[in-house]
Amino acid sequence: MTTSPTGFYNSIQEATAHVIDVLSDILHVNTIFIAANDGITNVIVDSFNREEILVKKGDVLPFELSYCSLVLDHPADHLTISETTIHPHTCDLDVTKTMGNHSFTGIPIRMKNGQAYGTICILDAPSVHLTESELKALQAMAVFLGYVVELEKEKIDAEISALSKLDLISSLSNKIRFSLTEIWGATDLMLTTELTEEQQQYMSIMESSSRSLMTLLSNILDYSNIESRQIDDIEDPFDLRTMMENVLSLYTEVAARRNLELKLDWNLTSSPIFIGDEAKIRRMLINLVDNAVKFTSTGAVTLSATTRSGTDAPEVELELKVKDTGIGISPNKLKLWLEHDRGYSPSYGNPGLGWQITKHLLKRMKGKMTGISEPGSGTEITLQLTLKIYQESA
């Protein structure tokens, strides 16, 4: 584990790894783990098992079925249970039936405002108790992690607030775009020449990085306009199918290099011409397709359109879906990102600027975003909008 050159930790994960290392040296217990709790799930951020493997990093439990929920609900500054198979609060839990009888000690990790981040916990043989000095060491580490979580949250909040002050970046955007376009173009030309396999890999990395920077720049400028309320609502006719094809075409080369299939699934019975804000819809689809391509190494990314209302209705309920066969994310993580305005969770971090922009734009268009996902089984994100069908005058 490494820290930044300033000596500070770059993330809560680095800090928790350090705490686990320290505690495993000074506490002669079987299992030490740090869990993040958001009220929905209990996620093991890091763990140490001396002999018997009881808890593993990445394990997830429903919050109310975990020992950690008892710690955060307990009025004292720590919770100690001598025997989990006997204690009335733990004896019937599935986790107890799985692990068997143990002693348990838990310390809450809280931020300055009292909000809980998670817990530091100990599991050992039945009736084993920590000494007063060992308990104080745990409490000190919990306070330390509380400060780290607070700093990380403040950092993210500050970065988001800073995005509303991007006038300077906006004035320099044309120069940045011009430089990126030159790099992008030169890379494309180099890829058409005779290169060794190693050189092709390097050029592909350069091209991918240029595309990512261009997308990031566009997102920063979009966010700046949203924050400064310098964004107009446009109601003009546009060809939805053509626009969707253009979005997919932006990723044709990247997909080809990965043997990744890009699909357009068209399920509209009405005319493809709608009245609405094409630029906003296009930006939302680019953000979602960009994420899908980024996290999909094999299989396909599918962009689809479906209408619900009848063909004679002046307005239709339009569903635009981006489905991938990528790494996927946990349902609870996706639920938090969909429901929270900022998408921030101490347990799961920040989903990215493109995601926030999509939510802002969709909210402005009075739309709705839903999604389904499972780790290892891909992700499907759906945008629901109401648009007018373009009717040519006689």
Side-chain angles (χ1 to χ4, degrees), residues 1 3 12 45 79 82 105 209 259 264 339 361 372 377 382:
M1 183 203 67
T3 58
I12 183 64
V45 180
L79 172 65
S82 296
T105 299
S209 298
N259 292 320
L264 178 61
E339 291 180 355
L361 295 178
I372 55 175
S377 300
T382 301

Side-chain angles (χ1 to χ4, degrees), residues 324-352:
D324 65 63
T325 56
I327 59 175
I329 55 178
S330 73
N332 286 319
K333 182 176 184 178
L334 181 60
K335 184 175 185 289
L336 284 170
W337 288 359
L338 289 169
E339 291 180 355
H340 290 257
D341 287 339
R342 291 294 186 185
Y344 174 80
S345 161
S347 308
Y348 294 123
N350 195 298

Side-chain angles (χ1 to χ4, degrees), residues 169-394:
I169 293 181
S170 296
S171 67
L172 295 173
S173 63
N174 288 332
K175 292 183 179 180
I176 297 173
R177 285 178 182 272
F178 182 75
S179 297
L180 283 175
T181 302
E182 284 189 324
I183 296 171
W184 198 348
T187 304
D188 281 340
L189 289 174
M190 285 293 293
L191 285 169
T192 63
T193 64
E194 293 184 7
L195 301 172
T196 66
E197 184 176 348
E198 184 178 12
Q199 288 172 330
Q200 286 180 338
Q201 290 178 349
Y202 292 153
M203 296 306 296
S204 295
I205 292 171
M206 289 178 62
E207 183 187 38
S208 177
S209 298
S210 298
R211 290 179 185 273
S212 296
L213 285 172
M214 187 69 81
T215 300
L216 176 61
L217 175 62
S218 297
N219 283 335
I220 288 174
L221 295 174
D222 285 346
Y223 198 98
S224 176
N225 289 332
I226 290 170
E227 287 289 287
S228 61
R229 303 185 187 278
Q230 296 177 353
I231 185 169
D232 297 324
D233 294 320
I234 300 172
E235 292 286 321
D236 284 336
F238 70 97
D239 188 325
L240 177 64
R241 182 175 185 124
T242 299
M243 183 264 282
M244 292 172 67
E245 290 173 345
N246 289 339
V247 169
L248 288 180
S249 70
L250 297 174
Y251 300 91
T252 302
E253 293 180 12
V254 176
R257 288 197 298 272
R258 296 190 190 177
N259 292 320
L260 190 65
E261 189 176 2
L262 298 178
K263 298 180 180 179
L264 178 61
D265 188 4
W266 187 258
N267 298 309
L268 269 64
T269 55
S270 65
S271 164
I273 310 298
F274 294 91
I275 297 176
D277 200 323
E278 179 182 8
K280 288 189 181 70
I281 298 173
R282 184 176 187 272
R283 168 50 55 193
M284 291 189 290
L285 292 181
I286 287 175
N287 287 338
L288 295 180
V289 172
D290 189 76
N291 271 345
V293 171
K294 187 183 301 180
F295 296 107
T296 304
S297 57
T298 59
V301 172
T302 303
L303 179 57
S304 65
T306 306
T307 50
R308 288 186 175 182
S309 304
T311 56
D312 295 332
E315 292 184 342
V316 296
E317 293 180 20
L318 178 66
E319 285 191 351
L320 301 173
K321 294 185 179 182
V322 177
K323 183 177 181 180
D324 65 63
T325 56
I327 59 175
I329 55 178
S330 73
N332 286 319
K333 182 176 184 178
L334 181 60
K335 184 175 185 289
L336 284 170
W337 288 359
L338 289 169
E339 291 180 355
H340 290 257
D341 287 339
R342 291 294 186 185
Y344 174 80
S345 161
S347 308
Y348 294 123
N350 195 298
L353 188 56
W355 182 274
Q356 302 303 328
I357 290 170
T358 299
K359 291 185 68 175
H360 275 294
L361 295 178
L362 194 60
K363 183 177 180 180
R364 192 178 182 98
M365 298 180 71
K366 298 179 180 179
K368 181 181 178 182
M369 180 160 59
T370 58
I372 55 175
S373 185
E374 288 287 346
S377 300
T379 303
E380 179 179 286
I381 302 297
T382 301
L383 306 181
Q384 298 173 333
L385 297 164
T386 299
L387 293 179
K388 297 177 183 177
I389 298 177
Y390 178 67
Q391 303 286 345
E392 291 189 29
S393 57

Side-chain angles (χ1 to χ4, degrees), residues 1-15 18 144 148 151 155:
M1 183 203 67
T2 58
T3 58
S4 68
T6 60
F8 292 98
Y9 298 99
N10 292 312
S11 67
I12 183 64
Q13 286 76 19
E14 285 187 1
H18 174 70
F144 164 70
V148 173
L151 289 172
K155 176 186 174 184

